[in-house]
Amino acid sequence: MKRWRRSLAFALALSVAGALASPAARAQDAPDEEAQEAEDEAPPPVQQQKGRRKVIPARADVGAKDRRATVADAKGGPSEKDRGKAELPVEERAARGVAIIERGGQVLGLGGLLAGDGRILTALSPLGAGNDLTARLADGTTVRVKLGHHDRAWDLALLVPQTGKWAEGLTASSRDPVRPDAQIRSFTAARGKVAAVPLVLRSHRSLIGGDDRQLEEAIELGSRISPLDLGAPIIDEDGRVVAVLGRGCAPNEGKPCTPVAFGAPISAIRGFLRTVPPTAVQPAAWLGIQGVSEASQVAKGVRVTVVHPESPADEARLRGGDRAGSDMILAVDGVPVTTPEALADAIRTHAVGEKVPLTLLSGGKYRQVTVLLRAAPDPKAAATKKPEAELPPPSSGGKATEEYRK
C-alpha cells in the first residue's frame, strides 16, 4: 500500500512539472510545426468537397517575400520597377523627363517632356533655321521631332515627336520659385547625359523678348547659363517645373539692352500651351488593313478583308480576301480584339516606329507576326509634295549673343 502511494505521488509530480514547463521547451518537441506556423502568414484556403473541408497546402516554392510582393501587386500597389524609380532622388527622377535637342548629332539645347503627353517644351532661339531635329531621351534613344508651335516673345517652342512614345514627363508647380528658402535646380548636358545643377533665382522683373516685345514677370537669374542649356526646365524641391530657360534682353537706360538668360514662368507657359493648334499632335500609328468582326468555332477576332499596298500589314505579309484564305487578327500585343473598333484602339495605344506583335488565326492554325507601325500616308501631301515647314528666322533684334551672364 505504501509502495502504491509513493508511485501515485511520483506520477502526480511529473504531471505538474510537465504543465509548468516553459513554452520554449515545449516548442523544441515540435520544431517543424512551429516553423511552418511562422512561415505561413495567413491560413491556407479551404475548399468544400463532397461535404468535407479540404485544406489546400501552400506552395512550397514561394517564399514570404514573394507572397508579400504578389499581394501588393494584386492590390494595385507599385511594381518593383516603379518602386525603384520612386526611390531615386527628386532631381534624378526629373532628369528622366528631360531631352537633349540635337541636329546632326550636335547639341542645340534641352527640353522638358510634358507628363502624359510626350511632346517637348523647349526654347525657340537655339533651334536655328530648318527642321531636321532629333531629341535624345533618357534611355539614349533618339526620336525625330518637328516644330508644332512657337512664341518668339517668350522664346518658347513645342516639339512634336514623330516616332516613339516616352511615358515619363514633368508637371507644373504651383509654388512661387522666388523664395528665400527655395532650392531650385535646372539641367545641363554632359557627354550625352542630363544632370541637375543648382540655380539661383533673383526676382521677377520686366525684360525685352523676341520682336522687342515687353515681358512682364520674367524670372531674373542669379547664375551663369550655358547657351547649350537653353530650353531646360527649372524645377523646385518636388521636381515640378517652375519655369523654362530662354533668352531675352535686359533694358538699360539710354543704352542697348544686355542679352541675358531668363526663366519663362508657369503663367507664360500655360498661356503658350493654350494656343497650341490642334494639328500639333503626334502622328497616329497605322496598320493598313480593312476588316470585319468574325467568330469561328475556336476564336473571335477581326478578319482581314483588304490589305493596303506598302502598308505595315503588307510588309508583315498579312492576307486579306475571302474567309478561306484570309487572316483573322485575334490580339494586338497580347490584347484581344474582336471588332474593327477595338483593333483600331489597340493600334492607337502604340506609337509610330514601334514593333508590335499580332496574334493571327488562318487555315485553322495560329501564328504570330510582328509589324513595324508607321504613320498613315497623307494623300494631299503626297500630291502636292510640299517641302517641310522650316523654323522661323531669328528675331529681327539680333542682339542676343552666345554667352549669357547673370
Side-chain angles (χ1 to χ4, degrees), residues 255-280:
K255 298 179 181 179
C257 66
T258 303
V260 293
F262 71 92
I266 285 297
S267 57
I269 293 172
R270 285 176 173 155
F272 169 73
L273 294 177
R274 280 194 291 266
T275 61
V276 173
T279 55

Side-chain angles (χ1 to χ4, degrees), residues 90-105:
V90 169
E91 60 271 16
E92 291 187 26
R93 292 203 307 270
R96 293 190 59 80
V98 180
I100 302 174
I101 312 302
E102 301 176 342
R103 177 183 286 116

Side-chain angles (χ1 to χ4, degrees), residues 231-298:
I234 302 173
I235 61 171
D236 62 11
E237 300 86 344
D238 301 322
R240 298 179 180 272
V241 178
V242 297
V244 170
L245 286 176
R247 68 169 60 170
C249 266
N252 294 317
E253 188 69 29
K255 298 179 181 179
C257 66
T258 303
V260 293
F262 71 92
I266 285 297
S267 57
I269 293 172
R270 285 176 173 155
F272 169 73
L273 294 177
R274 280 194 291 266
T275 61
V276 173
T279 55
V281 294
Q282 293 177 273
W286 178 59
L287 179 59
I289 66 113
Q290 294 180 18
V292 295
S293 299
E294 188 159 305
S296 69
Q297 294 181 348
V298 295

Side-chain angles (χ1 to χ4, degrees), residues 120-175:
I120 302 171
L121 182 65
T122 185
L124 175 66
S125 55
L127 303 183
N131 264 302
D132 301 322
L133 297 171
T134 58
R136 185 176 299 277
L137 304 176
D139 63 351
T141 59
T142 59
V143 297
R144 191 164 61 94
V145 294
K146 286 185 178 180
L147 180 71
H149 187 45
H150 70 277
D151 183 339
R152 291 182 195 272
W154 282 105
D155 196 25
L156 292 173
L158 185 68
L159 302 179
V160 182
Q162 301 301 293
T163 57
K165 182 177 290 186
W166 189 253
E168 299 175 60
L170 304 174
T171 57
S173 173
S174 58
R175 307 176 70 181

Side-chain angles (χ1 to χ4, degrees), residues 11-83:
L12 183 59
L14 287 178
S15 300
V16 173
L20 297 178
S22 66
R26 291 198 306 271
Q28 292 178 0
D29 295 334
D32 294 337
E33 294 179 3
E34 188 69 16
Q36 181 68 29
E37 185 177 358
E39 180 182 350
D40 295 336
E41 297 177 355
V46 177
Q47 288 186 347
Q48 296 289 339
Q49 185 178 14
K50 296 182 180 180
R52 292 184 298 175
R53 294 167 61 87
K54 178 183 177 182
V55 178
I56 303 175
R59 289 177 54 189
D61 58 335
V62 179
K65 180 179 179 181
D66 294 334
R67 288 200 300 273
R68 286 193 296 269
T70 304
V71 172
D73 293 339
K75 293 181 179 180
S79 65
E80 190 84 19
K81 184 177 180 181
D82 293 336
R83 285 194 295 268

